[in-house]
Amino acid sequence: MKFDYKEIHIGSIIQTRVEDTSTDLERICKFMKSTKKQVNEMYASKSLDTDVLMRWSKLLEYDFFRIYSQHLILYSPPSKVDKKDEKKSMLPNFRKSIYTREVIDFIVELIETQEKTMPQIVKEYRIPKSTLHRWTKKYGNLNNN
């Protein structure tokens, strides 16, 4: 199954994880301090409060926040800040060019299924062509069979 990082519906993703882990609804209700109706409303929600999402992440032992991080890596516009004028911040600075294995697999699958060409991926996701070649060599199905 190929995951779509562009259109995130966190409620359905959580519901899929609940089904994958066969987590009991009563346990969910107790842990989330919610009713069955509220849990079903969460499954139907496109977005959830961060505190609620944190509880789901702990309960289901899955980092749901990473889905949003992957979206930022793939779809955020490139930074246009002049490094000389950049002000120091108290917040941690995350590098955009760090790709997880899930993102690499997603991109390699797009290439192998010919859903997108390498030039399309370079343009849309701003991943260097040399990086794509390395990924397809290292992680592509043709080399792993």
Side-chain angles (χ1 to χ4, degrees), residues 27-45:
R27 179 172 178 236
I28 293 169
C29 291
K30 187 175 181 179
F31 189 88
M32 298 299 292
K33 299 177 182 156
S34 301
T35 65
K36 291 177 184 180
K37 182 182 178 204
Q38 289 170 321
V39 169
N40 285 321
E41 287 171 356
M42 286 185 240
Y43 292 159
S45 295

Side-chain angles (χ1 to χ4, degrees), residues 1-5 70 74 99-113 115 121 125 127 131-132 134-141 144:
M1 181 193 137
K2 185 173 52 169
F3 188 81
D4 180 15
Y5 288 102
Q70 300 311 322
L74 290 170
Y99 300 97
T100 65
R101 182 60 194 261
E102 291 87 359
V103 168
I104 293 170
D105 290 344
F106 170 75
I107 297 296
V108 169
E109 186 176 341
L110 288 177
I111 294 168
E112 289 184 342
T113 60
E115 196 171 321
I121 291 172
Y125 302 117
I127 298 172
T131 301
L132 293 176
R134 250 190 338 270
W135 288 353
T136 55
K137 246 184 178 174
K138 188 172 181 180
Y139 302 108
N141 285 332
N144 294 333

Side-chain angles (χ1 to χ4, degrees), residues 27-74:
R27 179 172 178 236
I28 293 169
C29 291
K30 187 175 181 179
F31 189 88
M32 298 299 292
K33 299 177 182 156
S34 301
T35 65
K36 291 177 184 180
K37 182 182 178 204
Q38 289 170 321
V39 169
N40 285 321
E41 287 171 356
M42 286 185 240
Y43 292 159
S45 295
K46 185 171 175 12
S47 62
L48 293 171
D49 183 79
T50 55
D51 289 337
V52 173
L53 193 57
M54 179 67 79
R55 281 186 288 188
W56 278 111
S57 294
K58 289 176 181 178
L59 174 65
L60 300 175
E61 298 176 359
Y62 186 87
D63 184 359
F64 292 104
F65 293 97
R66 186 166 293 196
I67 293 166
Y68 293 100
S69 298
Q70 300 311 322
H71 174 90
L72 289 173
I73 288 169
L74 290 170

Side-chain angles (χ1 to χ4, degrees), residues 71-124:
H71 174 90
L72 289 173
I73 288 169
L74 290 170
Y75 298 104
S76 66
S79 175
K80 297 204 182 211
V81 176
D82 187 2
K83 296 294 180 192
K84 290 182 269 179
D85 297 335
E86 192 174 334
K87 295 179 181 175
K88 295 289 181 190
S89 172
M90 297 298 288
L91 296 174
N93 185 16
F94 299 110
R95 289 180 35 210
K96 185 178 182 325
S97 61
I98 298 176
Y99 300 97
T100 65
R101 182 60 194 261
E102 291 87 359
V103 168
I104 293 170
D105 290 344
F106 170 75
I107 297 296
V108 169
E109 186 176 341
L110 288 177
I111 294 168
E112 289 184 342
T113 60
Q114 297 179 344
E115 196 171 321
K116 290 188 185 280
T117 64
M118 281 197 185
Q120 287 174 315
I121 291 172
V122 168
K123 184 178 180 184
E124 187 173 338

